[in-house]
Amino acid sequence: MRPAALPLLLISLLAPALAHASTLSVCTEASPDGFDVVQYNALTTTNASADVLMNRLVEFDATSGTLQPSLAQTWDVSPDGLNYSFTLRPDVSFHRTDYFNPSRLLNADDVLFSFQRMLDPAHPWHKVAASGYPHAQSMQLPSLIKSIDKTGELSLRFTLNRPDATFLATLSMGFASIYSAEYAAQLLAAGTPEKLNSQPIGSGPFVFKRFQKDASVRYSAHSNYFAGTPGVDNLVFAITPDANVRLQKLRRGECHIALSPKPQDVKAIEGDSHLQSVNTAAFMTAFVAINSQHPPLDQPAVRQAINLAFDKASYLQAVFENSAEAANGPYPPNTWSYATELPGYNHDPEKARELLKTAGLADGFNTTIWTRPSGSVLNPNPSVGAQLLQADLAKIGIQAEIRVIEWGELIRRAKAGEHDLLFMGWAGDNGDPDNFLTPQFACASVESGLNFARYCDPQLDKLIADGKRTSDHVQRSQLYKQAQQIIQQQALWLPLAHPTAYALTRKEVEGYQVSPFGRQDFAKVRLVP
């Protein structure tokens, strides 16, 4: 029996290595909400859908800071900034799966479908998204886009109602992904449009295989991908909420890449010859949103008191281990138009108590703090952060109950405005400061749910809108600096940190880069011996 067992043992030891030789496994921190990315705003959903399955007309290259061709080979903008004409690539194939067999390549009809479903309330697909289209609504696309006209099989023109300096960059965002109109028609004819969210089809580098909630998402390489076949045959998202477990899986070789590590995990792998860390300064802001529609948080003095009460230095040390820069406003200081002259809120509990007294709340009040259970780039240790805020608020008489809510439910209920104080983060998609201002502070974003401060002010709204109407950076900067002053004076957020984005990888991973926007590109990643 022993001689016979030896070959079987060798086979069992070799089989896992052979089976995973061209499978890239990525440990991620949460399940996606779904795969119809236009319906959602969570970065984990964008990563699992738009980033691997889809393409946009244009893509933003973080290294050069410029927009690059993608599905659109070329584009032209009219002198008045109202007409954008695109010419599409002629060689783009949609995914072929056991539930869809495309009969044609991508054309202008696919672009028309992808946008009209979001913009036209009469479109047969418009009501499929039960909660609406949060990004399209917050970016005000329905009022911005006057018409989209097909000018040829591979060409089309967007006509705007007003000039918008951010329009082209907006088209690089995940929600602007292009879908197959043919597949959508197939689903509608079958009476199963909801399957677009569970059985997605795109033109991107990977093809969807299957999803097991809170366990994994599996993909295979798109062999006809117009930008070249990906460097691995298969891609697996291993959904692992606990950062400690992600690191353990990485050490054991169960994952090749671990996303959103804790700062101490980055230090922990130093000297490990099998592991390495990659990082970049993130175009992100961690913050606590203060719901300005909930009394007494509707009073500016109360929101200011909360900012003054919080010991941000202690928070950065405890949660980020000083791997992040203190935030003073909505977007990072390396962003053009950043207002360096804003004073901020220094830690001053005594002044905070005085403000509460002037607001008629000398005895304090009760409120709630909402946070997620698992860590992320923007909140590496949710439990510790919430406890620190709770303790600091207690010192000025505010009794705050911590509520830990699963990520999907947290986002859904926060978009409905149910929260008081909400630990949240925002990642800009394209390097433009408006990518923070419009989604988080415009009046239209209160309706779409992305404005977590729930604040609508005509003056602030006008500054943001005027900033989008001009392409002059100097003029836009002046308008955005005024907007930042209002945001800070009103204390709509408790700004926390601008983190460094890290990922941990095994040494055999080649070609992976961390995006400052939190996006994921695995198309060029290879596994080398």
Side-chain angles (χ1 to χ4, degrees):
M1 294 294 290
R2 288 177 62 87
L6 183 57
L8 292 174
L9 177 61
L10 288 174
I11 290 172
S12 68
L13 290 173
L14 291 173
L18 293 174
H20 294 82
S22 59
T23 296
L24 177 68
S25 180
V26 182
C27 278
T28 65
E29 68 269 26
S31 288
D33 299 305
F35 297 90
D36 186 12
V37 66
V38 298
Q39 299 190 43
Y40 308 107
N41 62 283
L43 188 57
T44 50
T45 300
T46 298
N47 293 160
S49 54
D51 289 350
V52 292
L53 298 172
M54 316 292 285
N55 297 107
R56 276 62 54 196
L57 291 173
V58 296
E59 301 288 356
F60 186 81
D61 180 68
T63 302
S64 64
T66 59
L67 288 164
Q68 300 293 324
S70 183
L71 296 180
Q73 281 185 311
T74 60
W75 59 86
D76 294 302
V77 185
S78 63
D80 61 5
L82 294 178
N83 293 288
Y84 289 73
S85 299
F86 296 91
T87 300
L88 305 178
R89 296 178 60 96
D91 57 347
V92 178
S93 299
F94 282 106
H95 300 155
R96 189 179 303 273
T97 70
D98 57 2
Y99 52 85
F100 179 62
N101 186 15
S103 66
R104 62 168 176 79
L105 299 174
L106 174 140
N107 64 31
D109 291 329
D110 302 305
V111 180
L112 286 174
F113 164 75
S114 301
F115 284 92
Q116 287 175 342
R117 67 176 290 215
M118 294 189 286
L119 304 176
D120 181 6
H123 194 277
W125 270 86
H126 187 77
K127 292 183 180 179
V128 171
S131 300
Y133 301 89
H135 274 296
Q137 291 166 335
S138 66
M139 304 305 285
Q140 303 168 36
L141 292 193
S143 65
L144 174 64
I145 298 175
K146 181 178 182 180
S147 64
I148 310 174
D149 299 296
K150 180 180 175 180
T151 55
E153 278 301 298
L154 293 173
S155 60
L156 64 158
R157 180 179 60 250
F158 287 72
T159 301
L160 307 186
N161 283 310
R162 57 186 181 272
D164 189 315
T166 71
F167 179 67
L168 204 56
T170 296
L171 298 184
S172 72
M173 295 172 65
F175 84 95
S177 294
I178 304 304
Y179 291 73
S180 166
E182 183 183 16
Y183 180 51
Q186 172 184 306
L187 293 177
L188 203 61
T192 57
E194 71 282 355
K195 286 188 176 180
L196 191 65
N197 195 37
S198 60
Q199 295 182 338
I201 290 291
S203 61
F206 293 95
V207 180
F208 177 81
K209 302 301 288 186
R210 61 184 181 274
F211 168 50
Q212 184 178 354
K213 185 175 172 57
D214 298 329
S216 65
V217 192
R218 296 182 180 275
Y219 312 85
S220 62
H222 183 192
S223 58
N224 291 323
Y225 185 45
F226 70 86
T229 304
V232 293
D233 297 324
N234 301 287
L235 173 66
V236 177
F237 280 13
I239 299 163
T240 314
D242 191 312
N244 294 324
V245 179
R246 292 198 293 274
L247 178 57
Q248 292 168 14
K249 286 186 174 183
L250 188 74
R251 289 190 188 277
R252 293 195 298 261
E254 296 175 20
C255 288
H256 298 102
I257 301 173
L259 303 179
S260 304
K262 294 186 297 186
Q264 54 265 42
D265 293 342
V266 177
K267 296 178 181 178
I269 70 161
E270 292 177 359
D272 189 324
S273 61
H274 300 290
L275 306 179
Q276 59 191 353
S277 67
V278 285
N279 68 83
T280 189
F283 191 60
M284 305 176 185
T285 304
F287 61 94
V288 174
I290 305 175
N291 192 334
S292 63
Q293 293 181 343
H294 284 188
L297 302 176
D298 57 339
Q299 300 184 57
V302 174
R303 300 194 296 266
Q304 292 166 3
I306 290 171
N307 272 262
L308 290 166
F310 193 52
D311 186 351
K312 195 177 300 182
S314 295
Y315 168 82
L316 292 173
Q317 171 61 40
V319 174
F320 287 93
E321 296 196 3
N322 291 329
S323 66
E325 183 177 0
N328 190 38
Y331 45 81
N334 58 354
T335 312
W336 62 268
S337 85
Y338 180 81
T340 57
E341 66 276 9
L342 294 181
Y345 293 92
N346 295 321
H347 182 219
D348 192 338
E350 185 59 36
K351 187 174 180 181
R353 282 189 286 269
E354 292 174 4
L355 284 172
L356 289 182
K357 186 176 181 179
T358 62
L361 296 164
D363 296 327
F365 60 92
N366 295 328
T367 190
T368 59
I369 297 171
W370 287 22
T371 192
R372 59 189 291 169
S374 59
S376 66
V377 172
L378 286 157
N379 194 352
N381 198 326
S383 176
V384 169
Q387 290 170 18
L388 288 172
L389 178 58
Q390 180 187 50
D392 283 346
L393 292 180
K395 293 173 183 176
I396 65 167
I398 300 175
Q399 306 304 316
E401 175 193 351
I402 296 173
R403 295 182 183 173
V404 180
I405 303 173
E406 183 272 327
W407 177 244
E409 183 184 358
L410 181 79
I411 286 289
R412 179 183 61 81
R413 294 178 62 185
K415 286 170 65 175
E418 296 179 24
H419 61 283
D420 292 326
L421 305 177
L422 171 71
F423 273 86
M424 186 50 65
W426 190 256
D429 290 87
N430 52 37
D432 194 292
D434 178 73
N435 202 230
F436 283 81
L437 297 180
T438 288
Q440 287 298 314
F441 300 104
C443 290
S445 296
V446 176
E447 182 180 351
S448 71
L450 294 187
N451 184 334
F452 295 114
R454 312 291 296 177
Y455 184 79
C456 174
D457 173 70
Q459 183 184 1
L460 177 58
D461 209 48
K462 186 176 187 302
L463 288 169
I464 295 171
D466 289 350
K468 295 169 68 173
R469 288 193 176 97
T470 176
S471 57
D472 186 313
H473 268 216
V474 174
Q475 187 176 354
R476 288 187 74 195
S477 291
Q478 291 173 344
L479 293 166
Y480 289 162
K481 287 179 180 179
Q482 293 177 53
Q484 290 170 78
Q485 289 174 348
I486 293 175
I487 291 166
Q488 188 173 90
Q489 288 166 0
Q490 290 293 321
L492 304 177
W493 284 4
L494 166 53
L496 298 175
H498 306 298
T500 299
Y502 284 94
L504 306 181
T505 78
R506 294 192 62 83
K507 285 293 177 66
E508 57 264 33
V509 173
E510 184 178 89
Y512 177 74
Q513 293 182 319
V514 178
S515 164
F517 311 124
R519 304 291 293 274
Q520 297 296 333
D521 182 3
F522 301 111
K524 297 182 177 66
V525 176
R526 296 191 309 125
L527 299 176
V528 297

Coordinates of all heavy atoms in Angstrom, one line a residue, residues 66-102:
T66 N -4.1 62.3 -17.2 CA -4.8 62.7 -18.4 C -5.8 61.6 -18.7 O -5.7 60.5 -18.3 CB -3.8 62.8 -19.6 OG1 -3.2 61.6 -19.8 CG2 -2.8 63.9 -19.3
L67 N -6.8 62.1 -19.5 CA -7.8 61.1 -20.0 C -7.3 60.4 -21.3 O -6.7 61.1 -22.1 CB -9.1 61.9 -20.4 CG -9.9 62.4 -19.2 CD1 -10.9 63.4 -19.6 CD2 -10.6 61.2 -18.5
Q68 N -7.5 59.1 -21.3 CA -7.0 58.3 -22.4 C -8.1 57.6 -23.2 O -9.2 57.4 -22.6 CB -6.0 57.2 -21.9 CG -4.8 57.8 -21.1 CD -3.9 58.5 -22.0 OE1 -3.7 58.1 -23.2 NE2 -3.3 59.6 -21.5
P69 N -7.9 57.3 -24.5 CA -9.0 56.6 -25.2 C -9.2 55.2 -24.6 O -8.3 54.6 -24.1 CB -8.4 56.5 -26.6 CG -7.3 57.6 -26.7 CD -6.8 57.7 -25.3
S70 N -10.5 54.8 -24.7 CA -10.8 53.4 -24.3 C -11.7 52.9 -25.4 O -11.3 52.5 -26.4 CB -11.4 53.4 -22.9 OG -11.7 52.1 -22.5
L71 N -13.0 52.8 -25.1 CA -14.0 52.4 -26.1 C -14.1 53.4 -27.2 O -14.4 53.1 -28.4 CB -15.3 52.1 -25.6 CG -15.4 50.9 -24.5 CD1 -16.8 50.8 -24.0 CD2 -14.9 49.7 -25.1
A72 N -13.8 54.7 -26.9 CA -13.8 55.7 -27.9 C -12.3 55.9 -28.3 O -11.4 56.1 -27.5 CB -14.3 57.0 -27.3
Q73 N -12.1 55.8 -29.7 CA -10.8 56.0 -30.2 C -10.4 57.5 -30.2 O -9.3 57.8 -29.8 CB -10.7 55.5 -31.6 CG -10.5 54.0 -31.7 CD -10.3 53.6 -33.2 OE1 -11.0 54.0 -34.1 NE2 -9.3 52.8 -33.4
T74 N -11.3 58.3 -30.6 CA -11.1 59.8 -30.6 C -12.4 60.5 -30.2 O -13.5 59.9 -30.2 CB -10.8 60.2 -32.1 OG1 -11.9 59.9 -33.0 CG2 -9.5 59.5 -32.6
W75 N -12.2 61.8 -29.9 CA -13.3 62.6 -29.6 C -13.0 64.1 -29.9 O -11.8 64.5 -29.9 CB -13.8 62.5 -28.1 CG -12.7 62.8 -27.1 CD1 -12.4 64.0 -26.6 CD2 -11.8 61.9 -26.5 NE1 -11.4 64.0 -25.7 CE2 -11.0 62.6 -25.6 CE3 -11.6 60.5 -26.6 CZ2 -9.9 62.1 -24.9 CZ3 -10.6 59.9 -25.8 CH2 -9.8 60.7 -25.0
D76 N -14.0 64.8 -30.1 CA -13.9 66.3 -30.4 C -14.9 67.0 -29.6 O -16.0 66.5 -29.3 CB -14.2 66.6 -31.9 CG -13.1 66.0 -32.8 OD1 -11.9 66.3 -32.6 OD2 -13.5 65.2 -33.7
V77 N -14.5 68.2 -29.1 CA -15.4 69.1 -28.4 C -15.6 70.4 -29.1 O -14.6 71.0 -29.6 CB -14.8 69.4 -27.0 CG1 -15.8 70.2 -26.1 CG2 -14.4 68.1 -26.3
S78 N -16.8 70.8 -29.3 CA -17.1 72.0 -30.0 C -16.6 73.2 -29.2 O -16.4 73.2 -28.0 CB -18.6 72.2 -30.2 OG -19.3 72.3 -29.0
P79 N -16.3 74.3 -29.9 CA -15.7 75.5 -29.3 C -16.6 76.0 -28.1 O -16.1 76.6 -27.2 CB -15.6 76.5 -30.4 CG -15.5 75.7 -31.7 CD -16.3 74.5 -31.4
D80 N -17.9 75.9 -28.2 CA -18.8 76.4 -27.2 C -18.9 75.4 -26.0 O -19.6 75.7 -25.0 CB -20.2 76.8 -27.7 CG -20.9 75.6 -28.3 OD1 -20.4 74.4 -28.3 OD2 -22.0 75.8 -28.9
G81 N -18.3 74.2 -26.1 CA -18.3 73.2 -25.1 C -19.6 72.5 -24.9 O -19.8 71.9 -23.9
L82 N -20.5 72.6 -25.9 CA -21.8 71.9 -25.8 C -21.9 70.6 -26.5 O -22.9 69.9 -26.3 CB -22.9 72.9 -26.3 CG -23.1 74.2 -25.5 CD1 -24.1 75.1 -26.1 CD2 -23.5 73.9 -24.0
N83 N -21.0 70.3 -27.5 CA -21.1 69.1 -28.3 C -19.8 68.3 -28.1 O -18.7 68.8 -28.4 CB -21.4 69.5 -29.7 CG -22.7 70.1 -30.0 OD1 -23.8 69.4 -29.9 ND2 -22.7 71.4 -30.2
Y84 N -20.0 67.0 -27.8 CA -18.9 66.1 -27.7 C -19.2 64.9 -28.6 O -20.2 64.2 -28.5 CB -18.9 65.5 -26.2 CG -18.4 66.5 -25.2 CD1 -19.2 67.5 -24.8 CD2 -17.1 66.4 -24.6 CE1 -18.8 68.4 -23.8 CE2 -16.7 67.3 -23.7 CZ -17.5 68.3 -23.3 OH -17.1 69.2 -22.3
S85 N -18.3 64.8 -29.6 CA -18.5 63.8 -30.7 C -17.4 62.7 -30.5 O -16.2 63.0 -30.3 CB -18.3 64.4 -32.1 OG -19.3 65.4 -32.3
F86 N -17.9 61.4 -30.4 CA -17.0 60.3 -30.2 C -17.0 59.3 -31.4 O -18.1 59.1 -32.0 CB -17.5 59.5 -28.9 CG -17.4 60.3 -27.7 CD1 -18.5 61.1 -27.2 CD2 -16.2 60.3 -26.9 CE1 -18.4 61.8 -26.1 CE2 -16.2 61.0 -25.7 CZ -17.2 61.8 -25.3
T87 N -15.8 58.8 -31.7 CA -15.7 57.7 -32.6 C -15.2 56.5 -31.9 O -14.2 56.5 -31.2 CB -14.7 58.1 -33.7 OG1 -15.1 59.2 -34.4 CG2 -14.6 56.9 -34.7
L88 N -16.0 55.4 -32.0 CA -15.8 54.2 -31.2 C -14.8 53.3 -31.9 O -14.6 53.3 -33.2 CB -17.1 53.4 -31.0 CG -18.2 54.2 -30.4 CD1 -19.5 53.3 -30.3 CD2 -17.8 54.7 -29.0
R89 N -14.1 52.4 -31.2 CA -13.2 51.4 -31.7 C -14.1 50.4 -32.5 O -15.2 50.1 -32.1 CB -12.5 50.6 -30.6 CG -11.6 51.5 -29.7 CD -11.0 50.6 -28.6 NE -10.2 49.5 -29.2 CZ -8.9 49.5 -29.4 NH1 -8.2 50.5 -29.1 NH2 -8.3 48.5 -30.0
P90 N -13.5 49.8 -33.6 CA -14.3 48.9 -34.4 C -14.1 47.4 -34.0 O -14.7 46.5 -34.6 CB -13.7 49.1 -35.8 CG -12.2 49.4 -35.5 CD -12.2 50.2 -34.2
D91 N -13.3 47.1 -32.9 CA -12.9 45.7 -32.6 C -13.3 45.3 -31.2 O -12.6 44.5 -30.6 CB -11.4 45.6 -32.9 CG -10.6 46.6 -32.0 OD1 -11.2 47.5 -31.4 OD2 -9.4 46.4 -31.9
V92 N -14.3 45.8 -30.6 CA -14.6 45.5 -29.2 C -15.7 44.4 -29.1 O -16.8 44.5 -29.6 CB -15.2 46.8 -28.5 CG1 -15.5 46.4 -27.0 CG2 -14.1 47.9 -28.5
S93 N -15.3 43.3 -28.5 CA -16.2 42.2 -28.3 C -16.8 42.2 -26.9 O -16.1 42.4 -25.9 CB -15.4 40.8 -28.5 OG -14.9 40.8 -29.8
F94 N -18.1 41.8 -26.8 CA -18.7 41.6 -25.5 C -18.4 40.2 -25.1 O -18.1 39.3 -25.9 CB -20.2 41.9 -25.6 CG -20.6 43.3 -25.6 CD1 -21.0 44.0 -26.7 CD2 -20.4 44.1 -24.4 CE1 -21.3 45.3 -26.7 CE2 -20.8 45.4 -24.4 CZ -21.2 46.0 -25.5
H95 N -18.6 39.9 -23.8 CA -18.3 38.6 -23.2 C -19.3 37.6 -23.8 O -20.5 37.8 -24.0 CB -18.5 38.6 -21.7 CG -17.6 39.6 -21.0 ND1 -17.8 40.1 -19.8 CD2 -16.4 40.1 -21.4 CE1 -16.8 40.9 -19.5 NE2 -15.9 40.9 -20.4
R96 N -18.8 36.4 -24.0 CA -19.6 35.2 -24.4 C -19.6 34.3 -23.2 O -18.6 33.8 -22.7 CB -18.9 34.5 -25.6 CG -19.7 33.4 -26.3 CD -19.0 32.8 -27.4 NE -18.6 33.9 -28.4 CZ -19.4 34.3 -29.4 NH1 -20.6 33.8 -29.5 NH2 -18.9 35.2 -30.2
T97 N -20.9 34.0 -22.8 CA -21.1 33.1 -21.6 C -22.1 32.0 -21.9 O -22.7 32.0 -23.0 CB -21.5 33.9 -20.4 OG1 -22.9 34.4 -20.6 CG2 -20.6 35.1 -20.1
D98 N -22.4 31.2 -20.9 CA -23.5 30.2 -21.2 C -24.9 30.8 -21.1 O -25.9 30.2 -21.5 CB -23.4 29.1 -20.1 CG -23.5 29.6 -18.7 OD1 -23.6 30.8 -18.5 OD2 -23.4 28.8 -17.8
Y99 N -25.0 32.1 -20.8 CA -26.3 32.8 -20.8 C -26.4 33.9 -21.8 O -27.4 34.6 -21.9 CB -26.6 33.3 -19.4 CG -25.6 34.2 -18.7 CD1 -25.5 35.6 -18.9 CD2 -24.7 33.7 -17.8 CE1 -24.5 36.4 -18.3 CE2 -23.7 34.4 -17.2 CZ -23.6 35.8 -17.4 OH -22.7 36.6 -16.8
F100 N -25.3 34.2 -22.5 CA -25.4 35.2 -23.6 C -24.3 34.9 -24.7 O -23.2 34.7 -24.4 CB -25.1 36.6 -23.1 CG -25.2 37.7 -24.1 CD1 -26.3 37.9 -24.9 CD2 -24.0 38.5 -24.3 CE1 -26.3 38.9 -25.8 CE2 -24.1 39.5 -25.3 CZ -25.2 39.7 -26.0
N101 N -24.8 34.9 -25.9 CA -23.9 34.7 -27.1 C -24.1 35.9 -28.0 O -25.0 36.0 -28.8 CB -24.3 33.4 -27.8 CG -23.4 33.0 -28.9 OD1 -22.3 33.6 -29.0 ND2 -23.8 32.1 -29.8
P102 N -23.2 36.9 -27.9 CA -23.3 38.1 -28.7 C -23.3 37.8 -30.2 O -22.5 37.0 -30.7 CB -22.2 39.0 -28.3 CG -21.2 38.0 -27.7 CD -21.9 36.9 -27.1

